[in-house]
């Protein structure tokens, strides 16, 4: 499966008592976009809207020309890795991944092979029987990514999943995601608070400020741009 | 433009609506049926209204004072118990806290009299010191002692549970900032207690409004007439169903009003991850002595009447009791009834909570959804103040008209017991369900885990312990309940509390005391069993 | 959970499966009458031995509840007979129009007062009395007046006339003795009242655990303690003004499908086959002949010189007003 283009058409949203947010932008099919911006600028809200955890007050979220409307998160062409709470603590690694194939855990031999492959791809071979608490923080996020792989959706959303990891480990994980992106040509959006991570792994970067997407360009173009209000201040350059 | 498939109304919400509908039906049907039996205008003369006004005042006075005292006494006890997380016997103390409510009120009242009565232990000590004559608790003071006995334990139990939800980071922070006990209370404990209090206080208040045997026996006479007593009297002795229904509606409306007022202050108890083991708190050493004192005092207050029940029960001729076939029949009936009622209560509680969880997932629920939520929350409390005598009599009329009176009676008793247990089941389950939802909701939504699949793979394993506790508590309440079963009596339908009352009603108070002891032991056993389950794994 | 629930519901229904379909007589009564140790089971055996029929007891909490049940069921009641209401309720029961004249000969009925009611047949009786603990009270009240005016520190537990038949009994007793001055008597007596309980059980329980040295009960109460516990510690105080009576009766419902059998039961009720089981199972005086002499304990009981009984109609007409009078006098 290849990536889907995501178009946010005049999407408005506000939390009760919060400032209104407005999103209008396009993530190209097969792009890997790093979402940066000051905290509170609406990065997580934006991907929650794409994933279907929040409902726009108005406007449309369109995947490859199809309006997502009020579709349930599970029915969208999207899979997401959260910052934490990605795993069921009482289920082992294999089962946690298998839930991405079938919520009722009806697994064919083929499915099992796919799960094993995804575990190999993410460096989890042999850990299928472990419980999440027996894994390191990096391994837990690998399980979440392995599950995202077996779900085989065109869009992968990552909400700062590696923020708690050390620099070297974080690079490893980014390399893993980058390889997956290259192999499968998924559309990836990564929320990050570290522009270096984005430069390292992404093809595109989007800068957000005060509830708006200010710019969404190829990585090099964005970071070298001088016409984006607020960006210099944010980057400290 | 093409649209992706949109989903219909969610099954969980529908299930909640069905549960709410059933509860409404179970409560409103009997009231209507009773009005239909004798469709006369109830007496609304000035004299009678004056009487209603005076009993309403007394009802509110005793319930208000009982609630205030119970909660005020529960706060220091709960703090001490939460602070001292490791002393030997703590688990037993916590279990004892759940016991008073599960015991038949009549048994407790006699136990209380044994301790606090004119010839009671305390009175004897006071007289021996020569400082004062015998105590006379009959009147408001007796009602308050009994209600504090029942409800302080409950409030303390619920508060301890809330305090244990405080994340361990807070304690580390408190240690770093060298908080004193006062600081800890102000910055850490009080916010948690304050958010839990409206829910606890409203529960206690309604239990006090609905209290019956306590008010009559310890109230000392007709001065202590409450709405509940008047309802019982107008249905049982005056046989004036419209008046009974009117008074019941008044009681319900009064509590609904208070619930709406109180509901504004109520917030959910925030549940963080890391539950399981109570935290080792940095302030546990400094306050050791006061805590020991508070726990000892609370324990003495709660345990003495239970000791009295134990002492009078332990002398009973158990060989005689167990040799009677009626005892085994009553035991079987009680057990089946308790299991049914507890299962029903859990199914209803789960339906309501799952629906609330589904609605809460949207941070901006529609007005209709919010109203539906409030109804579900209110139903879980208001059910407490619908007099069982009204539900029982009304359902009897309905069943009789349909020719089902005898075969359906046990089912109705089970339903009434389940309704009684529902508020407790909800309060035990709700924090766990809300906490679990915060952790797992997005993951489940993104994986498409819902309905039975979510139940089997996630909810059941994670919430097993809360379910077991709620189940045990509901079963204990049902086993100890006298009211509902007494309404439908037939020679073949005897429960343990009914047998107890029959024994008391025919001079066999010693055997009755033995049965009371067995009942108490049984309730403790149920709760012990539930607590042996491994705590549900929280998220990593 | 759902499976457990289904299982439980099935088990509950199984508990109340209907029995065989012989000629069946259904009798509503209060529950202590049919408890294992009450007269009900023995009477069932005795009656069924005289007929090719089945006697089914349906027990409701207490006498008043049985009458309410009949009222709730109306003409559709499956009861043939209501057994257990007392003389203060007969007028109210007759007024429902649901009962019919019994039509049996009542020459076996033996009461200290005349019985003329054509609807209800008595089966036992008792007198209300103040029972005292002889270890705590050496000189019991010698009269009702003595009780009313006695030492306020010597306490008594009574029952609420609004919720209990002994409670109503005391109300009528004081009315019968004091008439218009009943209110004043109540005001004085209330100084001695430790508490007012909703039913007999609570009051008697408080008495036997020693909380109060006196309780309102029946003259026959000491017989239980003598027969079952071999102690004469608890005694009844005899009052020269007389003791108020409680007569327990049974009547046939108009809606009964089996009136010949119902009449046969009432007839049986006045004879020894029924009466034999009353004294030491229901702890009341039999209202007819028994096969054997009563146990010795009954000889030692207080036998009131005078039986007080207000007419059922008078009670029915004034009960509300008298209860209001009691409320006023005791809440002052």
């Amino acid at each position: 499966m290849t990536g889907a283009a995501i178009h946010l058409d005049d999407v408005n949203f506000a939390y009760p008592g919060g400032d209104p947010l407005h999103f209008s932008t396009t993530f190209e099919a097969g792009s890997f976009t790093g979402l940066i911006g000051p905290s509170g600028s609406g990065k997580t809200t934006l991907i929650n809207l794409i994933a279907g955890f929040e409902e726009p007050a108005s406007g449309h979220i369109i995947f490859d020309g199809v309006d997502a409307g009020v579709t349930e998160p599970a029915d969208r062409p999207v899979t997401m890795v959260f910052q934490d709470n990605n795993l069921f603590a009482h289920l082992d690694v294999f089962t946690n991944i298998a839930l991405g194939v079938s919520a009722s855990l009806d697994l064919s031999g083929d499915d099992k092979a796919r799960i094993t492959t995804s575990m190999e791809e993410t460096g989890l071979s042999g850990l299928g029987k472990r419980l999440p608490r027996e894994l390191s923080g990096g391994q837990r996020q690998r399980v979440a990514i392995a599950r995202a792989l077996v779900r085989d959706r065109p869009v992968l959303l990552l909400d700062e999943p590696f923020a708690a990891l050390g620099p070297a480990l974080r690079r490893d994980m980014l390399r893993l995601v980058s390889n997956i992106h290259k192999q499968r040509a998924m559309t990836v959006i990564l929320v990050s608070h570290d522009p270096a991570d984005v430069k390292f792994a992404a093809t595109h970067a989007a800068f957000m400020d005060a509830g708006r997407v200010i710019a969404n360009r190829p990585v090099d173009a964005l970071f070298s741009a001088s016409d984006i209000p607020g960006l210099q201040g944010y980057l400290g350059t | 433009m093409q649209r992706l498939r949109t989903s219909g109304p969610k099954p969980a919400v529908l299930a909640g609506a069905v549960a709410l509908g059933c509860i409404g039906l179970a409560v409103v049907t009997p009231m209507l049926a009773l009005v239909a039996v004798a469709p006369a205008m109830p007496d609304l003369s000035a004299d009678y209204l004056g009487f209603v006004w005076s009993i309403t005042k007394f009802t509110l006075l005793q319930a208000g004072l009982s609630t205030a005292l119970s909660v005020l006494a529960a706060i220091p006890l709960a703090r001490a118990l939460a602070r001292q997380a490791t002393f030997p016997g703590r688990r037993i103390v916590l279990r004892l806290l759940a016991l008073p409510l599960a015991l038949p009120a009549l048994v407790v009242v006699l136990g209380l009299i044994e301790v606090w009565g004119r010839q009671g232990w305390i009175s004897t000590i006071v007289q021996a010191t020569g400082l004062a004559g015998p105590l006379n608790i009959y009147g408001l003071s007796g009602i308050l002692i009994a209600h504090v006995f029942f409800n302080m334990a409950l409030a303390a139990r619920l508060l301890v549970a809330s305090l244990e939800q405080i994340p361990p980071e807070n304690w580390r922070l408190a240690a770093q900032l060298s908080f004193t006990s006062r600081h800890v209370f102000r910055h850490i404990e009080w916010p948690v207690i304050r958010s839990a209090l409206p829910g606890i206080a409203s529960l206690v208040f309604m239990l006090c409004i609905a209290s019956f045997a306590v008010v009559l026996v310890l109230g000392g006479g007709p001065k202590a007439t409450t709405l509940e007593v008047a309802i019982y009297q107008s249905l049982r002795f005056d046989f004036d169903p419209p008046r009974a229904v009117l008074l019941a509606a008044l009681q319900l409306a009064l509590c609904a009003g208070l619930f709406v007022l109180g509901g504004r202050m109520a917030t959910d108890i925030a549940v963080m991850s890391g539950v399981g083991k109570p935290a080792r708190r940095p302030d546990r050493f400094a306050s050791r002595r006061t805590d020991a004192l508070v726990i000892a005092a609370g324990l003495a207050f709660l345990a003495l009447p239970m000791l009295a029940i134990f002492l009078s029960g332990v002398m009973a001729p158990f060989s005689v009791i167990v040799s009677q076939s009626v005892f085994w029949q009553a035991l079987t009936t009680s057990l089946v009834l308790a299991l049914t009622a507890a299962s029903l209560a859990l199914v209803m509680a789960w339906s309501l909570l799952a629906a609330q969880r589904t609605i809460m997932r949207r941070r901006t629920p529609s007005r209709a959804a919010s109203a539906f939520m409030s109804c579900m929350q209110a139903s879980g409390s208001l059910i407490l103040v619908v007099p069982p005598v009204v539900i029982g009599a009304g359902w009897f009329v309905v069943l009789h008209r349909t020719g089902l009176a005898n075969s359906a009676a046990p089912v109705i008793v089970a339903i009434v017991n389940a309704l009684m247990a529902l508020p407790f089941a909800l309060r035990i389950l709700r924090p766990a369900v809300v906490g679990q939802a915060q952790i797992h909701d997005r993951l489940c939504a993104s994986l498409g885990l819902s309905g039975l699949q979510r139940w089997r793979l996630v909810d059941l394993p994670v919430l097993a312990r809360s379910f077991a506790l709620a189940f045990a508590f509901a079963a204990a309440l049902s086993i100890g309940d006298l009211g509902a079963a007494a309404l439908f009596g037939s020679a073949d339908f005897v429960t343990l509390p009914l047998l107890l009352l029959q024994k008391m009603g025919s001079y066999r108070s010693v055997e009755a005391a033995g049965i009371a002891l067995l009942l108490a032991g049984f309730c403790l056993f149920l709760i012990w069993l539930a607590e042996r389950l491994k705590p549900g794994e929280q998220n990593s | 959970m759902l499976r457990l629930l289904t299982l439980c519901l099935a088990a509950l229904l199984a508990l109340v499966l209907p029995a065989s379909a012989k000629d069946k007589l259904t009798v509503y009564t209060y529950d202590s009458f049919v408890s294992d140790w009450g007269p009900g089971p023995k009477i069932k055996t005795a009656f069924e031995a005289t007929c090719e029929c089945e006697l089914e007891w349906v027990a409701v909490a207490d006498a008043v509840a049985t009458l309410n049940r009949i009222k709730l069921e109306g003409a559709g009641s499956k009861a043939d007979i209501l057994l257990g209401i007392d003389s203060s309720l007969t007028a109210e029961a007759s007024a429902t129009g649901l009962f019919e004249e019994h039509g049996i000969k009542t020459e076996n009925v033996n009461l200290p007062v005349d019985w003329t009611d054509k609807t209800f047949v008595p089966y036992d009786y008792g007198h209300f009395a103040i029972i005292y603990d002889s270890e705590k009270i050496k000189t019991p009240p010698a009269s009702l007046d003595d009780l009313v005016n006695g030492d306020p520190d010597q306490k008594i537990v009574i029952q609420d006339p609004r919720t209990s038949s002994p409670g109503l009994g005391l109300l009528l007793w004081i009315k019968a003795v004091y008439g218009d001055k009943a209110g004043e008597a109540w005001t004085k007596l209330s100084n001695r009242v430790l508490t007012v309980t909703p039913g007999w059980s609570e009051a008697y329980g408080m008495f036997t655990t020693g909380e109060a040295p006196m309780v309102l009960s029946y003259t026959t109460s000491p017989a239980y303690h003598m027969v079952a516990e071999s102690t004469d510690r608890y005694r009844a105080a005899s009052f020269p003004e007389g003791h108020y009576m409680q007569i327990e009766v049974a009547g046939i419902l108009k809606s009964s499908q089996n009136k010949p059998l119902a009449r046969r039961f009432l007839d049986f009720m006045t004879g020894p086959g029924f009466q034999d089981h009353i004294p030491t199972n229901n702890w009341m005086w039999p209202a007819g002949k028994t096969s054997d002499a009563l146990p010795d304990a009954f000889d030692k009981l207080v036998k009131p010189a005078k039986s007080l009984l207000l007419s059922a109609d008078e009670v029915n007409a004034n009960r509300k007003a008298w209860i209001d009078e009691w409320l006023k006098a005791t809440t002052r």
Side-chain angles (χ1 to χ4, degrees):
Chain A
M1 187 175 282
T2 50
I6 308 163
H7 179 51
L8 280 84
D9 178 16
D10 215 9
V11 171
N12 286 299
F13 179 82
Y15 290 114
D19 290 330
L21 311 175
H22 177 88
F23 306 111
S24 253
T25 190
T26 301
F27 299 94
E28 285 168 27
S31 64
F32 182 159
T33 309
L35 213 50
I36 55 171
S39 54
S41 60
K43 302 186 293 285
T44 297
T45 308
L46 174 59
I47 62 168
N48 275 343
L49 281 162
I50 296 173
F53 293 121
E54 304 290 359
E55 214 174 295
S58 67
H60 305 277
I61 296 168
I62 298 155
F63 296 96
D64 271 349
V66 180
D67 188 345
V70 290
T71 320
E72 287 294 304
D75 298 330
R76 296 187 177 216
V78 163
T79 185
M80 182 158 169
V81 177
F82 310 111
Q83 199 165 358
D84 48 24
N85 294 328
N86 277 299
L87 306 182
F88 294 110
H90 59 283
L91 301 176
D92 66 18
V93 167
F94 186 88
T95 314
N96 262 298
I97 298 173
L99 280 173
V101 178
S102 155
S104 53
L105 293 176
D106 297 327
L107 303 175
S108 65
D110 200 34
D111 291 334
K112 285 180 187 153
R114 272 173 56 216
I115 294 166
T116 314
T117 312
S118 77
M119 286 173 66
E120 280 162 11
E121 263 180 83
T122 49
L124 293 168
S125 301
L127 300 179
K129 290 269 175 266
R130 297 268 185 98
L131 285 176
R133 64 160 181 267
E134 297 163 339
L135 301 177
S136 70
Q139 283 172 324
R140 281 185 215 151
Q141 297 304 61
R142 281 172 191 270
V143 177
I145 291 170
R147 183 170 58 211
L149 290 180
V150 298
R151 291 196 73 204
D152 206 13
R153 300 288 164 104
V155 176
L156 171 62
L157 304 174
L158 303 155
D159 185 7
E160 297 202 54
F162 315 131
L165 308 179
L169 199 51
R170 204 155 79 206
R171 281 290 146 99
D172 283 350
M173 298 299 286
L174 286 168
R175 209 168 281 131
L176 175 67
V177 174
S178 180
N179 287 338
I180 290 166
H181 168 243
K182 279 177 197 138
Q183 279 166 22
R184 311 211 171 189
M186 302 165 99
T187 308
V188 179
I189 303 177
L190 167 74
V191 173
S192 175
H193 62 271
D194 187 351
D197 285 358
V198 174
K199 279 185 195 158
F200 176 79
T203 62
H204 289 67
F207 176 65
M208 296 190 58
D209 197 11
R212 275 161 204 276
V213 181
I214 308 292
N216 184 353
R217 301 178 187 175
V219 169
D220 298 339
L222 188 117
F223 283 111
S224 58
S226 54
D227 60 332
I228 303 172
L231 180 62
Q232 263 73 24
Y234 170 69
L235 294 173
T237 54
Chain B
M1 182 180 282
Q2 195 186 342
R3 278 179 160 261
L4 285 174
R5 186 174 60 82
T6 53
S7 50
K10 302 196 178 60
V13 177
L14 275 180
V18 170
L20 187 61
C22 289
I23 295 168
L25 212 64
V27 172
V28 175
T29 313
M31 291 178 125
L32 294 179
L34 279 182
V35 174
V37 167
M41 241 342 253
D43 169 22
L44 291 176
S45 63
D47 258 10
Y48 186 67
L49 290 181
F51 168 72
V52 171
W53 172 233
S54 74
I55 61 174
T56 305
K57 273 191 300 189
F58 183 77
T59 305
L60 293 177
L61 173 75
Q62 67 85 6
L65 281 176
S66 300
T67 308
L69 287 175
S70 302
V71 169
L72 282 180
I75 291 176
L77 180 61
R79 280 186 77 202
L81 282 169
R83 201 149 44 197
Q84 305 302 332
T86 49
F87 70 90
R90 180 175 185 268
R91 291 175 64 103
I92 298 173
V93 174
L94 287 180
R95 259 175 234 145
L96 277 183
L97 293 183
L99 196 58
L101 267 181
L103 290 172
L106 181 53
V107 171
V108 173
V109 165
L110 290 180
L112 283 169
I113 289 174
E114 194 100 2
V115 176
W116 291 97
R118 213 177 129 79
Q119 305 296 325
W121 301 347
I122 310 258
S123 196
T124 312
I125 296 171
V126 170
Q127 276 176 286
T129 61
L131 293 175
L135 296 184
N136 190 348
I137 57 163
Y138 300 94
L140 191 57
S141 55
I143 296 178
L144 294 182
I145 288 177
H147 282 168
V148 172
F149 174 79
F150 278 111
N151 299 310
M152 184 259 272
L154 174 74
R157 185 77 174 80
L158 292 171
L159 279 177
V160 170
S162 307
L163 288 172
E164 283 180 354
Q165 310 278 10
I166 295 173
E169 292 77 19
N170 283 14
W171 300 122
R172 281 175 221 139
L173 208 59
Q176 235 174 55
L177 302 174
S178 53
F179 277 7
T180 63
S181 164
R182 254 182 54 208
H183 294 131
V184 165
F185 182 70
R186 189 171 147 205
H187 300 303
I188 303 180
E189 291 172 323
W190 177 242
V192 173
I193 293 175
R194 210 198 50 176
S195 71
L197 270 190
I200 293 173
S202 71
L203 178 68
V204 171
F205 186 82
M206 295 196 191
L207 284 169
C208 295
I209 291 255
S211 168
F212 179 72
V214 163
V215 171
L216 277 174
V217 178
L218 296 176
K223 268 176 253 184
T225 298
T226 60
L227 278 170
E228 185 86 10
V229 173
I231 291 165
Y232 179 87
Q233 179 203 332
S234 52
L235 197 56
R236 287 293 305 282
F237 263 70
D238 302 339
F239 197 71
D240 190 347
R243 181 186 283 189
V245 171
L246 194 76
L247 289 173
L250 173 66
Q251 174 160 312
L252 202 58
L254 213 61
C255 292
L258 289 166
F259 187 84
V260 170
L261 279 180
R264 277 163 209 235
M265 304 177 289
T267 44
D268 260 334
I269 301 162
V271 185
M272 317 287 173
S273 51
V275 193
K277 249 200 305 197
R280 290 171 93 64
R281 292 175 43 170
D283 54 351
R284 65 184 185 279
F285 297 112
S287 47
R288 216 173 205 162
R289 223 168 271 167
T290 35
D291 285 351
L293 215 65
V294 168
I295 294 173
L299 199 62
F301 180 72
L302 292 174
L304 282 180
M306 292 196 225
L307 184 67
I309 294 169
F310 176 79
L311 288 180
S312 54
V314 81
M315 262 112 71
F318 285 102
S319 58
V320 175
I321 295 175
V322 299
S323 69
Q324 293 161 345
S325 66
V326 65
F327 169 77
W328 295 103
Q329 193 195 337
L331 183 68
T332 317
T333 309
S334 279
L335 279 181
V336 174
L337 207 56
L339 291 181
T340 319
S343 314
L344 259 176
L346 247 59
V347 169
M348 284 192 287
W350 176 250
S351 307
L352 291 175
L353 288 172
Q356 292 178 39
R357 179 174 77 176
T358 307
I359 292 172
M360 279 192 306
R361 207 144 59 208
R362 294 253 172 265
R363 279 197 237 186
T364 45
S366 67
R367 187 170 290 186
S370 309
F372 179 49
M373 282 276 284
S374 320
C375 281
M376 285 194 285
Q377 278 164 2
S379 72
S381 292
L382 291 180
I383 197 83
L384 283 173
V385 293
V386 184
V389 64
V390 169
I391 299 193
W395 271 109
F396 181 80
V397 173
V398 175
L399 294 176
H400 180 72
R401 296 281 146 95
T402 52
L404 286 169
N406 271 12
S407 44
V411 179
I412 293 292
V413 174
I415 291 174
V416 174
N417 279 349
L419 289 175
M420 279 173 26
L422 182 63
F424 300 95
L426 280 172
R427 273 167 181 79
I428 294 172
L429 284 179
R430 194 183 156 81
V433 170
V434 170
Q436 197 257 100
Q438 279 174 358
I439 294 169
H440 291 138
D441 263 1
R442 288 205 313 176
L443 186 54
C444 288
S446 88
L447 293 174
L449 268 180
S450 62
L452 278 179
Q453 280 164 7
R454 172 165 180 176
W455 162 252
R456 187 169 62 89
L457 281 170
V458 184
D459 296 330
L460 188 60
V462 173
L463 298 172
R465 192 165 188 242
S466 304
F467 276 120
L469 201 64
F471 188 89
F473 206 84
L477 266 181
S478 164
I479 276 208
D481 175 58
L482 178 71
L487 296 169
F488 284 97
S490 83
D492 305 324
F493 191 66
V494 184
T495 62
L496 277 185
L498 214 53
L499 184 66
L500 185 154
L501 200 75
Q502 283 180 2
K503 299 247 180 205
M504 276 198 76
S506 50
Y507 299 101
R508 287 165 171 78
S509 49
V510 186
E511 281 176 53
I515 295 178
L517 182 59
L518 289 176
L519 269 176
F522 206 79
C523 295
L524 260 186
F525 174 71
L526 275 173
I527 290 161
W528 173 79
L529 214 59
E531 285 185 343
R532 276 178 61 91
L533 265 187
K534 235 176 53 188
E537 294 261 5
Q538 291 295 319
N539 202 62
S540 47
Chain C
M1 180 63 55
L2 282 173
R3 205 173 301 157
L4 177 65
L5 188 60
T6 330
L7 207 73
C8 290
L9 285 173
L12 265 184
L13 286 175
L15 283 175
V16 289
L17 266 188
S20 70
K22 258 191 268 178
D23 208 3
K24 198 160 94 178
L25 188 72
T26 303
V27 182
Y28 284 13
T29 187
Y30 50 88
D31 70 2
S32 67
F33 195 84
V34 296
S35 63
D36 253 22
W37 51 87
K42 290 145 200 130
I43 288 168
K44 178 177 157 77
T45 315
F47 183 63
E48 283 174 358
T50 71
C51 70
E52 213 14 63
C53 68
E54 191 197 331
L55 172 60
E56 185 197 24
W57 294 116
V58 173
V60 187
D62 54 47
V64 182
T66 57
L67 181 57
N68 284 343
R69 176 103 167 223
I70 296 286
K71 287 185 192 168
L72 281 175
E73 294 181 348
S77 177
K78 73 183 188 80
D80 298 298
I81 287 175
L82 171 65
L83 181 146
I85 60 169
D86 70 31
S87 32
S88 61
L89 283 173
T90 51
E92 195 183 330
S94 297
T96 62
L98 295 169
F99 293 87
E100 70 167 32
E101 293 195 2
H102 55 72
I104 64 159
K105 294 197 182 103
T106 55
E107 75 265 4
N108 286 339
V109 173
N110 181 17
L111 288 176
V113 292
D114 283 337
W115 187 260
T116 53
D117 194 299
K118 289 197 169 9
T119 309
F120 294 99
V121 183
Y123 63 88
D124 68 13
Y125 70 94
H127 291 93
F128 294 112
I130 304 307
I131 306 297
Y132 65 96
D133 181 347
S134 61
E135 287 180 11
K136 299 215 175 97
I137 294 189
K138 296 299 166 204
T139 46
S143 65
L144 188 60
D145 212 47
D146 207 10
L147 175 77
V148 166
N149 294 306
D151 176 9
D153 279 341
Q154 228 170 35
K155 294 293 183 187
I156 180 169
V157 183
I158 63 169
Q159 298 86 357
D160 195 319
R162 297 170 298 173
T163 52
S164 123
S165 23
L168 183 59
L170 182 61
L171 185 86
L172 300 178
W173 191 356
I174 290 197
K175 195 77 210 174
V177 171
Y178 289 93
D180 294 342
K181 301 236 165 80
E184 292 162 36
W186 270 114
T187 306
K188 281 188 219 151
L189 178 60
S190 61
N191 293 325
R192 299 191 79 174
V193 172
L194 182 63
T195 190
V196 183
T197 67
W200 179 89
S201 302
E202 296 89 353
Y204 211 79
M206 288 175 73
F207 169 68
T208 50
T209 54
E211 179 66 3
M214 292 187 285
V215 67
L216 170 66
S217 187
Y218 299 90
T219 54
T220 43
S221 297
Y224 175 82
H225 299 288
M226 285 190 263
V227 172
E229 298 167 354
S230 318
T231 171
D232 63 350
R233 175 176 169 185
Y234 304 113
R235 296 173 198 166
S238 176
F239 292 169
E241 295 99 331
H243 288 242
Y244 198 82
M245 267 187 98
Q246 182 181 36
I247 302 169
E248 296 193 294
V249 303
I252 301 176
L253 283 128
K254 269 189 188 143
S255 55
S256 166
Q257 302 291 314
N258 206 342
K259 285 176 192 160
L261 187 61
R263 272 193 282 275
R264 213 164 129 191
F265 180 78
L266 289 194
D267 199 43
F268 174 80
M269 190 175 81
T270 62
F274 184 107
Q275 293 294 328
D276 281 355
H277 304 290
I278 291 298
T280 55
N281 290 298
N282 215 30
W283 302 101
M284 294 283 271
W285 291 97
K289 274 207 191 69
T290 53
S291 323
D292 302 309
L294 297 186
D296 293 345
F298 279 77
D299 290 337
K300 296 183 193 146
L301 296 180
V302 163
K303 298 202 185 46
K306 198 170 148 198
S307 291
L308 302 173
L309 190 64
L310 297 171
S311 88
D313 292 325
E314 195 183 351
V315 171
N316 198 31
N318 294 305
R319 190 166 58 106
K320 236 176 186 156
W322 291 344
I323 284 180
D324 283 344
E325 179 186 50
W326 168 77
L327 277 174
K328 239 178 222 159
T330 54
T331 51
R332 196 174 298 156

